[in-house]
Amino acid sequence: MSFSLKLLPLALACATSVHADDTGATTDPRKATVLEGIRVNATAVDAYRTDNASAGALGNRALLDTPFSIDAVTEELIKNRQANNINDVFKGDASTTPFSNGYSGENSAFSVRGLQIDELNGYRINGMSVPAWAADIPVEHFQQIELLKGLSGFMYGFSQPGGMLNFVTKKPTEQPTATFRLGYTSRSSITEEADLGGRFGKDHQFGYRLDAVNEQGGTYVDNGYIKRKSVSLGLDWRINDQLTWHFDSLYQDRHIRGAMYGVIPCQDFGVCQPNGPQFVSIPSPLKGSQRISSTDTGYGTSMRMATTGVTWNISPDWTLSADAAMTLQGRSNRDSAIFLLDNQGQYLEHQYLGYTDYLYRSAQAMLNGHFETGSLKHDVVIGAAWQKNMQRYGDNIFDEADLGIGNIHNPSDFPQSPIALIRHVRDSSSETQGAVFASDTVTFSEQWQALLGLRAIDYTQSGYNYFGDGKRNALYERKPVTPTVALMYKPAAWMTVYASYVKSLEEGTSVPAGQGYANEGEVFAPMTSKQYELGAKFAQDSWNLNAAVFRIERGLAYSVVRDNQRFMTQDGQVRFDGFELSGQTRLGSQWTLLGSAMWLDATNERADPTVEGKRAFGSARFQASSYIEYAVPTMPGWVLTAGGRYVGNRPLESNNSNIAGAYHTFDVGTRVTTRVGQYPVTFRLNLDNITNEKYWLVGWESIMNQGAPRVLRASVEVALQ
């Protein structure tokens, strides 16, 4: 890669940006464009930018008034980039690093600031906890997807410090709408979607939003196949001017064939090396379309989620909300780990089999209000929350099978294990969190604000005798108090400078089975994390800019070799020091730019000599991304797009034995909005990774996955209104 190509994403990132109008009309807010009878007044900022997001225990807040880094992606941007997984949704945020994808790997997932998002505690739908263990949540059903970067202890409770994802479901529309989309993804996957919304009844007091998606066909992996269907339903009832009831549900079944658990270089121990221990280095990246695991390997996931609640506007200054939710996620495993045995590409394909499900139940009540004490203004939140997360295993969850030995440069296709999956489940582990929380944002003057928040948690983690009588055989209890403190200064109404401190706890490390650890199944005590952040936010009509300097300190889990055996241990800490910059701007009346960059120094501290002072696994020192849109002035409704992403090299292990190389990808696209007869129609065409870059994604320690190859996406969307 030439020096100029390396700098292109950075150059674009440093030019902050605004998002382009979905219709392709002029982005000058002083003008309106008539497109064959369609009057377009919304600017690019209106279509892509959001000024508010959920902040958990702080409630819904203006982004400018939150002393944390939050990225929110709107439905329009998701549509126009034709994103169909969470990696695509946040590909424009350089603070995120993809480490798996849902076509060649177990699911689409990314880390934030070098830290992975907790797949059991780091995902929310409308603020309520849902499991996302090795599963993809269908992004088509949401009007906004929000990412809180870093620690979320006060806002949400126990979770890993990578961040918190909140998916905001589509809401009932005020006017009847019906939108239909037909999409194609290389190599032969077809997607159909129907999105219906409206209101009915006296004074339109009842609202509905129904969105159904079906995807089926070949994936970009050789002989890969996907079959996916999902439906979301949102209802509300405006009981009176003050009281509203709502209900939201999501159903999904997703099955993937030709996917794998990951590629694992065996080193420093003889567990999976028949000829004794030797060092196995990372091979050259493979094409993203190359199948490695056998054709019939793969997995299936299902999700059934329902939430309901009420919002009571007690007065202009006080609002009470109460919500309850239940989610059941099931997962059927027939995916394979590819253990590299030597540096010539020889591998053992080892298949994991079994069924797992996760049952989540939660409830939360919050009171938001405003009052004054003398010259001080107070924005307060008082609340209580409860959730119980149960993990249950099928009777043969730990069954495994060696399918055969091949070479990754010419993969074999082995017959599948004849072992049948047993879906009868037994309790394996559970965690229960009860919490009360309160915060007060005190306004001293037009310039100065301070935030103090506290969450008191009653946390219980239980293990059950899975192979025996099913009774509880392990118990861990803790009652921590996690604080948040912040100071905000506003030199002007459109600018905020802040300093914040957050403390959080997360579940202890669970040593995975089937990866050669001598202490597999061991669960360590919860870890404490701390975050210090200094940032600035600027928001104008035509541009915005966010900058943050941060330090995150987290407990360290890593693998060590003792007496020729591999152990997972938890001690010491890992420190993440970084600087992130993102922005949006409008250039003239046609150009729109988004840019983002992150510099990161992640170091292991106070740990075993084999990892002391080494870089944290999976962390890149530098990342940058950019996205450009150009509205063709001579052809209203026609928009051209381009984007780029650069990710620096990343250690594969905590001891830095292997370093996965840096990579860059470039995307292009176009869309046209016009009329066919009396109906507005939008045609979209996107080509991602146009150079077909080959690269490795670094996931869990010592586990790699292929990066996505060149992918073509095309769709046509018709609005019947």
Side-chain angles (χ1 to χ4, degrees), residues 610-632:
T610 59
V611 303
E612 174 70 26
K614 303 292 181 64
R615 291 167 60 190
F617 78 88
S619 61
R621 288 195 175 101
F622 175 71
Q623 300 182 174
S625 64
S626 59
Y627 180 66
I628 304 173
E629 291 200 352
Y630 175 66
V632 181

Side-chain angles (χ1 to χ4, degrees), residues 54-58 66-70 111-118 121-122 124 147-165 451 455 457 481-486 498 500-507 527-533 549-555 573-577 580:
S54 174
L58 291 176
T66 54
F68 315 104
S69 293
I70 300 176
S111 59
V112 183
R113 296 175 171 180
L115 291 152
Q116 294 182 0
I117 293 181
D118 189 335
N121 290 295
R124 305 272 166 156
L147 172 62
L148 170 65
K149 302 175 188 178
L151 275 62
S152 57
F154 160 69
M155 282 76 80
Y156 292 100
F158 260 61
S159 68
Q160 294 177 9
M164 184 68 65
L165 276 165
L451 165 66
R455 176 183 287 257
I457 304 173
V481 175
T482 56
T484 290
V485 180
Y498 66 87
S500 62
Y501 166 80
V502 183
K503 182 179 179 181
S504 185
L505 274 82
E506 62 177 293
E507 288 186 63
M527 295 186 290
T528 300
S529 302
K530 299 177 181 179
Q531 175 177 287
Y532 311 85
E533 184 168 313
V549 179
F550 59 85
R551 166 171 286 190
I552 298 173
E553 298 170 350
R554 181 202 188 191
Q573 74 170 24
V574 58
R575 173 180 49 80
F576 297 82
D577 292 331
E580 58 190 17

Side-chain angles (χ1 to χ4, degrees), residues 43 64 67 87 197 208 219 288 291 332 377 424 476 499 514 589 647 704:
T43 68
L64 196 62
N87 289 349
Y208 67 91
T219 69
R291 176 190 56 80
S332 302
K377 298 179 181 179
H424 175 265
Y476 183 89
S589 59
V647 176
M704 303 183 299

Side-chain angles (χ1 to χ4, degrees), residues 478-712:
R478 195 164 180 178
K479 297 183 178 180
V481 175
T482 56
T484 290
V485 180
L487 184 65
M488 291 170 280
Y489 173 62
K490 292 188 174 184
W494 50 270
M495 175 183 178
T496 300
V497 179
Y498 66 87
S500 62
Y501 166 80
V502 183
K503 182 179 179 181
S504 185
L505 274 82
E506 62 177 293
E507 288 186 63
T509 304
S510 298
V511 183
Q515 294 185 28
Y517 290 108
N519 61 332
E520 67 178 33
E522 183 177 358
V523 178
F524 294 94
M527 295 186 290
T528 300
S529 302
K530 299 177 181 179
Q531 175 177 287
Y532 311 85
E533 184 168 313
L534 178 64
K537 299 182 180 183
F538 308 84
Q540 291 277 40
D541 289 340
S542 62
W543 64 273
N544 62 63
L545 179 68
N546 300 293
V549 179
F550 59 85
R551 166 171 286 190
I552 298 173
E553 298 170 350
R554 181 202 188 191
L556 175 61
Y558 56 94
S559 62
V560 295
V561 176
R562 303 188 185 107
D563 300 326
N564 202 33
Q565 288 186 303
R566 189 187 191 206
F567 292 85
M568 177 67 75
T569 187
Q570 179 179 293
D571 60 54
Q573 74 170 24
V574 58
R575 173 180 49 80
F576 297 82
D577 292 331
F579 171 66
E580 58 190 17
L581 179 69
S582 63
Q584 310 168 356
T585 192
R586 178 188 306 124
L587 299 179
S589 59
Q590 279 78 43
W591 291 94
T592 295
L593 296 174
L594 289 77
S596 181
M598 181 182 71
W599 291 260
L600 183 67
D601 176 18
T603 307
N604 301 325
E605 299 177 332
R606 304 198 303 271
D608 187 270
T610 59
V611 303
E612 174 70 26
K614 303 292 181 64
R615 291 167 60 190
F617 78 88
S619 61
R621 288 195 175 101
F622 175 71
Q623 300 182 174
S625 64
S626 59
Y627 180 66
I628 304 173
E629 291 200 352
Y630 175 66
V632 181
T634 57
M635 299 185 66
W638 185 22
V639 177
L640 304 176
T641 68
R645 186 173 201 172
Y646 173 81
V647 176
N649 64 39
R650 292 135 293 140
L652 180 61
E653 309 93 355
S654 293
N655 63 11
N656 295 186
S657 296
N658 276 304
I659 304 292
Y663 67 90
H664 62 281
T665 58
F666 299 98
D667 311 325
V668 295
T670 187
R671 68 178 180 274
V672 176
T673 299
T674 184
R675 278 192 181 275
V676 175
Q678 59 178 324
Y679 302 117
V681 179
T682 301
F683 299 90
R684 297 181 177 94
L685 182 67
N686 295 80
L687 186 62
D688 296 341
N689 191 7
I690 58 176
T691 62
N692 205 19
E693 174 91 348
K694 296 181 291 185
Y695 56 96
W696 288 117
L697 303 177
V698 174
W700 309 98
E701 182 161 12
S702 302
I703 302 175
M704 303 183 299
N705 211 290
Q706 297 156 276
R710 182 188 298 119
V711 177
L712 174 69

